[in-house]
C-alpha cells in the first residue's frame, strides 16, 4: 500500500516527464491497436468481398487473375468462355445456382458488369449480406441499368437518368456506345465491396451493345443497328467472362472443381474463392507487415523513452531512496518502487491509449466505413488486442528492470547518507 | 547505567580501499545518553553511522544495539531493526518532497509495526501524534498550510525531520550533521528543542558534527580519532607526500 502510494506520489511529483511518458505509451498503444483494427478490418472486408460462392469459373489463366477480374474488377480476362459452357454447368446436378458475369465495357471509369437477375438475388458479401436497393429495382428491360453506390454518388445519378456506356475499360474511351443509351432503374446500397463501383446490365444488353460490331471493331458507317431494331433481334448471349457457382452441397466442391478443370469442350478453370483470396492477401500482406513493424518501432521507442526518463531522474532521487532506507525500507523496496512506477506508467498509458482508440473508433467509424469502404469490425476487443496489450505490459515491465536495478545499486552504494 | 550501543573490535574498510577506514576497539553509548561524535570531514563519521544503522556490516568485530548483534541478523532483519528502534536526521533534504509534512512524519510508522503500535497505544491516530510532535517542535499548522515541504525554510524542514525521527519513540536517534545547514541562532534553538524531546522520551542521541563548538551542550564528547586506530584518509595522503 505504502509502496504504491510512494510510487504514485513520486510520479506525480515529476508531472511533466510522467505526463510525456504516459502520453508516448498511450500513443503507441493506440497506434498498435488501431493498426491491428485497420489491418484485421481490411482483411475482413477483403475476404468478405464475395461470400456464399463455392467456385468461380473462368477461362484458364492464373487463379489470382481470375479472382481479380471477376470479384475485384481489376485487370482483364485473357479469354471469354462460351455461354454454352456456362449453361452446361448451371444445369449440372450438383450446382444449386450460377451467376454469369460479362466484362469489357465501362462507364466513366466504372466497370460494366453484364449479368442476370440471379446476381441481385444470390450475390452475397460480408458473410450473409445480400445486395439491397437504395432506390429502384433490378433491371428488366434491355436498356435498363443498375448502378452501385459509388457510381451514383460520384456521378450524382438518380433513378431514370440516362447514361451511355463506352467500349473497353479505360478511363478515357474513344469508342462509345453512344447510339444505345441506358436508363437507370436501380441504385444499390453501399456494400464496401467492388459492387459499389459497378454498373450492372443484363447479358442481353452486353450482346446488344455489340450486335453491330465485328471482330471487336465498331460498326462501319451505315452498318449501325438502332436500339429499336436491336430490341426485336434475338440477343442470346454467346459468351460470358466468368461465373460464380453455388453447389447444393459443399462436400462436392473438389469433385466439381476437378470436373470443370478437366472439361473437354473448353479450357476452363475453377477456383475456390476463399483459398485464392487468402493467397492474394498474403501477397499484398507486405503492407500489413510494414504497418505492424512501424507500430512495433513506435512502441519500442516509447519504452526506451520511459526507461531513459526514469534513469535520468535516478540521480536526483538517491536522497529519496536513502530516506526510505533510513526509516526501515528494505533493499528490495527501492527496486520495487521503480517497478511499480513503471507499472503505473504503463497501465495508465494502456488505459488512455485504449480509451482514445475506442473514442476515435466510435467517432470516426461511420466515416471510415462509408467513405473508405473500410470495415473496422466490431468494437469488442479481439484476441490479438489482448496479445498486444499483454506484450506491451510485459515488455515495459522487463525494460523497467534496468532503472530498478540501477536505483537498487545506487542505494546500496549510498547507504543512508548521500553525498551532496 | 544500561548500555544501548556497544561496539567492539570493529574493523571496516570500503570495498576497493586497502587500509580500513575504521578500526575501533571499543565504543559504548549508555541508554538515554547524549553523545557528541566529532571529527573532521572525511574521517568516517557517516560511515560509522551507516554501520550502526545496519546498512553496512563490519568486516570484523561486533556492533550490539539493545543487546542485539547486528551482524548476526540478515539484511531484512537489520532493516526491520533500524525501522523499529532508530530515527535518523540528516544534514539536508531530509523530507520526501511529494509528501506533506504530516505524511513525512507519520511515514516511519508505515515501515515499522512497532513504532505504529507505540504511537497508537497513546494516541487515537498517527496524525494526532505527528501534529503533537510538530507543535512541540514549534511548527504550527498555520506554517504548514498551503505549503509543500520544499517550500519550508531549512530550519523548519530540519524540525519536521526531527519530528519524523522522534515518531514512534525509537530508542536511538542518530543525527548526522543536522545543524550544518542552519544559521548560528537557529542552530541553538534547534538543539534546545531536540534535547527537550529526547529528554522527555528518554531517547538516546548520537549527534555527529565537525563543529566542535556544539560539544559542550552534550553529556559526552567523543572525538573519532580518539577511538579510531585507523589512519584517516587525508593523513595517509600526507604520509605519502601527496
Ligand atoms: N558510499 C561510499 N562508498 C565508498 N567510499 C565511501 C562512501 N562513503 C564514504 N566513503 C569514503 O569513506 C571516507 C569517510 O567518509 P564519511 O564517512 O562520509 O566521512 P565523514 O562523514 O566523517 O565526513 C571518505 O574517504 C569517503 O571517500
Ligand atoms: Mg558525513
Amino acid at each position: 500500500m505504502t509502496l504504491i502510494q510512494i510510487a504514485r506520489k513520486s510520479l506525480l511529483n515529476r508531472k511533466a516527464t510522467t505526463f510525456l511518458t504516459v502520453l508516448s505509451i498511450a500513443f503507441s498503444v493506440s497506434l498498435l491497436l488501431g493498426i491491428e483494427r485497420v489491418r484485421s478490418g481490411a482483411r475482413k472486408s477483403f475476404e468478405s468481398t464475395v461470400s456464399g460462392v463455392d467456385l468461380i469459373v473462368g477461362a484458364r489463366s492464373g487463379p489470382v487473375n481470375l479472382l481479380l477480374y471477376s470479384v475485384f474488377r481489376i485487370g482483364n480476362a485473357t479469354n471469354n468462355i462460351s455461354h454454352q459452357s456456362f449453361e452446361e454447368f448451371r444445369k449440372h446436378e450438383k450446382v444449386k445456382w450460377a451467376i454469369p458475369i460479362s466484362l469489357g465495357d465501362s462507364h466513366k471509369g466504372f466497370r460494366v458488369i453484364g449479368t442476370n437477375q440471379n446476381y441481385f438475388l444470390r450475390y452475397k458479401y460480408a458473410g450473409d449480406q445480400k445486395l439491397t436497393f437504395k432506390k429502384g429495382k433490378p433491371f428488366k428491360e434491355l436498356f435498363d441499368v443498375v448502378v452501385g453506390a459509388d457510381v451514383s454518388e460520384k456521378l450524382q445519378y438518380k433513378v431514370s437518368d440516362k447514361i451511355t456506356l463506352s467500349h473497353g475499360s479505360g478511363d478515357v474511351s474513344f469508342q462509345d456506345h453512344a447510339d444505345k443509351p441506358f436508363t437507370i432503374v436501380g441504385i444499390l446500397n453501399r456494400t464496401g465491396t467492388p459492387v459499389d463501383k459497378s454498373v450492372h446490365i443484363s447479358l442481353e444488353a452486353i450482346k446488344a451493345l455489340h450486335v453491330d460490331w465485328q471482330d471487336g471493331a465498331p460498326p462501319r458507317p451505315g452498318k449501325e443497328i438502332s436500339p429499336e431494331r436491336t430490341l426485336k433481334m434475338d440477343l442470346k448471349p454467346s459468351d460470358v467472362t466468368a461465373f460464380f457457382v453455388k453447389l447444393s452441397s459443399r462436400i462436392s466442391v473438389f469433385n466439381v472443381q476437378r470436373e470443370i478443370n478437366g472439361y473437354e469442350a473448353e479450357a476452363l478453370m475453377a477456383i475456390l474463392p476463399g483459398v485464392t483470396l487468402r493467397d492474394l492477401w498474403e501477397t499484398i500482406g507486405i503492407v500489413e507487415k510494414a504497418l505492424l513493424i512501424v507500430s512495433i518501432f513506435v512502441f519500442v521507442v516509447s519504452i526506451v523513452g520511459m526507461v531513459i526518463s526514469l534513469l535520468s531522474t535516478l540521480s536526483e532521487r538517491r536522497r529519496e531512496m536513502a530516506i526510505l532506507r533510513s526509516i526501515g525500507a528494505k533493499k528490495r523496496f527501492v527496486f520495487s518502487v521503480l517497478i511499480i512506477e513503471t507499472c503505473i506508467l504503463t497501465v495508465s498509458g494502456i488505459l488512455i491509449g485504449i480509451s482514445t482508440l475506442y473514442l476515435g473508433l466510435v467517432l470516426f467509424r461511420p466515416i471510415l466505413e462509408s467513405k473508405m469502404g473500410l470495415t473496422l469490425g466490431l468494437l469488442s476487443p479481439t484476441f490479438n488486442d489482448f496479445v498486444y496489450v499483454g506484450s506491451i505490459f510485459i515488455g515495459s515491465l522487463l525494460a523497467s528492470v534496468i532503472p530498478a536495478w540501477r536505483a537498487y545499486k545506487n542505494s546500496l552504494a549510498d547507504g543512508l547518507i548521500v553525498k551532496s | 547505567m544500561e548500555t544501548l550501543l556497544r561496539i567492539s573490535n570493529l574493523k571496516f574498510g570500503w570495498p576497493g580501499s586497502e587500509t580500513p577506514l575504521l578500526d575501533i576497539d571499543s565504543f559504548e553509548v549508555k541508554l538515554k545518553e547524549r553523545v557528541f561524535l566529532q571529527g573532521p570531514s572525511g574521517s568516517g563519521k557517516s560511515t560509522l553511522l551507516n554501520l550502526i544503522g545496519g546498512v553496512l556490516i563490519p568486516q570484523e568485530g561486533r556492533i550490539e544495539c539493545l543487546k542485539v548483534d547486528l551482524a548476526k541478523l540478515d539484511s531484512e532483519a537489520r532493516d526491520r531493526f533500524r525501522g523499529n528502534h532508530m530515527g535518523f536526521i540528516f544534514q539536508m533534504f531530509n523530507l520526501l518532497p511529494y509528501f506533506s509534512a504530516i505524511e513525512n512524519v507519520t511515514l516511519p510508522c508505515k515501515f515499522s509495526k512497532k513504532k505504529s503500535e507505540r504511537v497508537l497505544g497513546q494516541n487515537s491516530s498517527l496524525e494526532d501524534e505527528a501534529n503533537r510532535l510538530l507543535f512541540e517542535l514549534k511548527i504550527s499548522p498555520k506554517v504548514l498550510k498551503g505549503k509543500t515541504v520544499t517550500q519550508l525554510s531549512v530550519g523548519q524542514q530540519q524540525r519536521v525531520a526531527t519530528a519524523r525521527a522522534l515518531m514512534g519513540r525509537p530508542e536511538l536517534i542518530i543525527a548526522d550533521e543536522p545543524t550544518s545547514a542552519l544559521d548560528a541562532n537557529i542552530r541553538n534553538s534547534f538543539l534546545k528543542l531536540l534535547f527537550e524531546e529526547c529528554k522527555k522520551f528518554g531517547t538516546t542521541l548520537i549527534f555527529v558534527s565537525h563543529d566542535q563548538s556544539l560539544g559542550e551542550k552534550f553529556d559526552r564528547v567523543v572525538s573519532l580519532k580518539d577511538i579510531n586506530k585507523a589512519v584517516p584518509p587525508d593523513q595517509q595522503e600526507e604520509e605519502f607526500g601527496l
Side-chain angles (χ1 to χ4, degrees):
Chain A
M1 199 50 233
T2 316
L3 181 63
I4 294 171
Q5 200 188 5
I6 285 175
R8 192 175 60 88
K9 292 221 172 179
S10 182
L11 282 174
L12 287 177
N13 194 41
R14 293 170 270 133
K15 278 198 189 69
T17 36
T18 301
F19 177 73
L20 288 176
T21 308
V22 170
L23 206 67
S24 86
I25 294 173
F27 178 68
S28 74
V29 168
S30 331
L31 195 68
L32 208 55
L33 296 188
I35 282 178
E36 168 64 14
R37 268 304 131 84
V38 172
R39 193 189 64 81
S40 67
R43 181 179 196 142
K44 222 183 210 131
S45 49
F46 180 83
E47 285 183 353
S48 62
T49 312
V50 59
S51 58
V53 168
D54 294 326
L55 290 167
I56 300 176
V57 184
R60 203 166 285 166
S61 65
V64 169
N65 188 37
L66 171 55
L67 185 81
L68 281 177
Y69 68 70
S70 66
V71 174
F72 292 96
R73 277 119 220 205
I74 295 170
N76 289 301
T78 45
N79 278 308
N80 273 3
I81 55 179
S82 72
H83 190 260
Q84 200 186 329
S85 306
F86 163 64
E87 280 296 321
E88 192 121 335
F89 285 103
R90 187 178 66 81
K91 290 180 195 140
H92 192 286
E93 52 168 358
K94 286 174 179 151
V95 172
K96 196 169 169 194
W97 50 255
I99 306 170
I101 58 166
S102 189
L103 303 166
D105 288 333
S106 65
H107 173 70
K108 298 195 172 162
F110 293 107
R111 289 291 183 98
V112 169
I113 317 295
T115 183
N116 64 17
Q117 303 278 344
N118 252 358
Y119 186 90
F120 302 107
L121 231 56
R122 313 277 195 197
Y123 192 90
K124 278 187 195 161
Y125 65 98
D128 221 21
Q129 306 279 109
K130 281 190 176 172
L131 298 180
T132 51
F133 281 84
K134 190 178 174 194
K135 290 243 171 61
K137 50 186 190 334
F139 48 70
K140 207 165 105 213
E141 303 299 327
L142 187 59
F143 292 114
D144 283 354
V145 61
V146 170
V147 295
D150 277 343
V151 182
S152 83
E153 222 161 81
K154 258 231 183 80
L155 303 173
Q156 305 209 311
Y157 285 159
K158 47 193 191 309
V159 171
S160 75
D161 279 358
K162 290 215 181 303
I163 64 170
T164 59
L165 307 182
S166 316
H167 191 73
S169 55
D171 223 343
V172 186
S173 178
F174 298 106
Q175 298 164 333
D176 275 356
H177 296 300
D179 55 331
K180 299 188 178 69
F182 280 72
T183 310
I184 296 177
V185 296
I187 294 168
L188 293 169
N189 274 320
R190 185 169 294 283
T191 63
T193 73
V195 171
D196 298 346
K197 294 185 164 54
S198 302
V199 173
H200 307 88
I201 60 176
S202 64
L203 284 182
E204 288 74 19
I206 295 270
K207 176 82 183 174
L209 284 174
H210 305 94
V211 73
D212 44 9
W213 284 44
Q214 256 164 16
D215 303 326
R220 273 166 282 130
K223 295 276 187 184
E224 299 101 336
I225 300 172
S226 72
E228 295 74 28
R229 261 184 65 206
T230 311
L231 278 170
K232 293 190 194 87
M233 295 172 71
D234 173 24
L235 292 168
K236 201 177 144 15
S238 55
D239 52 10
V240 299
T241 310
F243 57 94
F244 301 128
V245 173
K246 173 77 177 177
L247 302 174
S248 311
S249 153
R250 269 222 69 150
I251 299 165
S252 51
V253 68
F254 292 109
N255 278 332
V256 178
Q257 185 187 28
R258 219 173 302 124
E259 198 177 321
I260 294 174
N261 287 343
Y263 186 58
E264 278 183 6
E266 198 172 1
L268 297 182
M269 177 179 62
I271 58 167
L272 282 78
V275 174
T276 312
L277 276 168
R278 222 162 299 135
D279 288 350
L280 184 55
W281 182 259
E282 295 298 311
T283 45
I284 60 172
I286 185 109
V287 180
E288 156 192 49
K289 288 198 187 83
L291 281 177
L292 192 66
I293 287 170
V294 168
S295 50
I296 285 173
F297 269 120
V298 170
F299 163 64
V300 169
V301 167
S302 73
I303 292 293
V304 169
M306 175 180 71
V307 169
I308 289 174
S309 85
L310 284 174
L311 281 176
S312 71
T313 59
L314 285 188
S315 61
E316 54 190 84
R317 297 181 67 192
R318 293 176 89 133
R319 212 172 284 277
E320 178 186 336
M321 301 306 173
I323 293 168
L324 290 171
R325 291 277 280 139
S326 81
I327 58 175
K330 300 181 178 68
K331 283 188 276 189
R332 61 155 195 267
F333 188 89
V334 173
F335 188 85
S336 313
V337 168
L338 269 293
I339 299 284
I340 296 291
E341 281 180 16
T342 321
C343 288
I344 295 176
L345 289 172
T346 313
V347 170
S348 332
I350 288 174
L351 291 181
I352 293 175
I354 291 177
S355 328
T356 323
L357 176 70
Y358 273 78
L359 193 71
L361 275 182
V362 170
L363 289 180
F364 296 114
R365 195 162 74 139
I367 301 174
L368 283 176
E369 291 199 341
S370 66
K371 290 273 183 272
M372 302 179 65
L374 196 61
T375 337
L376 290 174
L378 291 169
L379 275 177
S380 60
T382 63
F383 174 72
N384 268 356
D385 289 353
F386 287 108
V387 172
Y388 282 134
V389 168
S391 332
I392 287 170
F393 186 73
I394 290 170
S396 65
L397 211 59
L398 287 179
S400 74
V401 169
I402 301 169
W405 183 248
R406 248 318 249 296
Y408 180 81
K409 278 289 175 197
N410 282 349
S411 164
L412 280 196
D414 289 342
L416 301 177
I417 293 104
V418 180
K419 300 270 172 309
S420 26
Chain B
M1 247 220 208
E2 240 183 295
T3 309
L4 177 114
L5 178 76
R6 174 179 287 135
I7 291 175
S8 44
N9 303 320
L10 174 140
K11 274 206 179 69
F12 177 83
W14 283 100
S17 82
E18 282 151 40
T19 50
L21 174 68
L22 297 171
D23 183 351
I24 300 174
D25 278 346
S26 166
F27 174 56
E28 286 189 11
V29 177
K30 299 256 175 291
L31 204 66
K32 301 188 185 179
E33 197 179 14
R34 290 173 309 193
V35 175
F36 183 81
L37 183 66
Q38 183 266 323
S41 285
S43 57
K45 303 184 298 295
S46 297
T47 306
L48 181 59
L49 298 187
N50 268 319
L51 286 158
I52 297 171
V55 175
L56 295 174
I57 38 171
Q59 279 95 20
E60 279 176 39
R62 289 162 69 90
I63 301 174
E64 264 177 274
C65 188
L66 292 163
K67 303 200 168 65
V68 174
D69 184 355
L70 290 182
K72 289 232 170 71
L73 301 177
D74 64 19
S75 122
E76 294 211 350
R78 283 200 306 275
D79 293 333
R80 211 174 310 122
F81 189 85
R82 177 174 65 250
N84 284 340
H85 302 289
M86 299 178 193
F88 284 82
I89 312 168
F90 303 114
Q91 182 172 353
M92 275 178 101
F93 309 116
N94 268 296
L95 305 176
L96 296 179
Y98 43 83
F99 280 140
S100 70
I102 299 287
E103 286 169 328
N104 263 287
V105 175
T106 54
L107 199 60
C109 296
K110 303 273 162 60
F111 286 88
S112 160
K113 221 171 158 190
K114 198 157 202 159
K115 279 186 181 174
S116 165
E117 279 166 7
R118 262 185 238 144
V119 169
L120 292 175
Q122 312 257 319
N123 297 271
S124 55
S125 75
L126 298 176
E127 286 71 26
D128 276 358
E129 171 72 352
N131 272 316
R132 199 189 58 78
L133 280 169
L134 286 172
F135 179 78
E136 285 187 6
L137 288 159
K138 309 241 175 319
I139 306 262
S140 65
K142 222 163 71 195
V143 171
L144 298 172
K145 205 170 170 217
K147 278 197 193 127
T148 65
V149 289
T150 46
Q151 287 167 326
L152 299 173
S153 73
V154 182
Q156 288 166 336
Q157 289 186 30
Q158 289 305 76
R159 279 180 281 153
V160 174
T162 306
R164 187 179 63 204
L166 289 163
M167 187 74 178
R169 304 195 188 164
E171 288 86 344
L172 175 63
I173 286 196
I174 295 177
D176 190 6
E177 315 245 13
T179 54
S180 301
L182 301 181
D183 296 339
N185 55 333
I186 298 176
R187 187 176 306 169
N188 286 332
S189 59
F190 173 82
L191 271 184
K192 209 170 137 245
L193 286 171
L194 177 62
F195 282 0
E196 274 173 21
E197 291 304 308
C198 286
K199 194 164 187 181
K200 194 183 284 170
F201 296 142
T203 315
T204 311
L205 175 67
I206 301 179
F207 189 105
V208 161
S209 180
H210 63 274
D211 181 0
Q212 295 173 339
S213 68
L214 298 171
E216 58 195 31
K217 300 186 172 72
F218 288 78
D219 298 338
R220 186 156 63 103
V221 176
V222 177
S223 182
L224 185 59
K225 69 171 188 294
D226 293 340
I227 56 168
N228 184 15
K229 292 191 297 177
V231 186
D234 44 347
Q235 281 177 33
Q236 278 174 28
E237 286 168 12
E238 278 165 32
E239 277 173 20
F240 289 112
L242 293 169

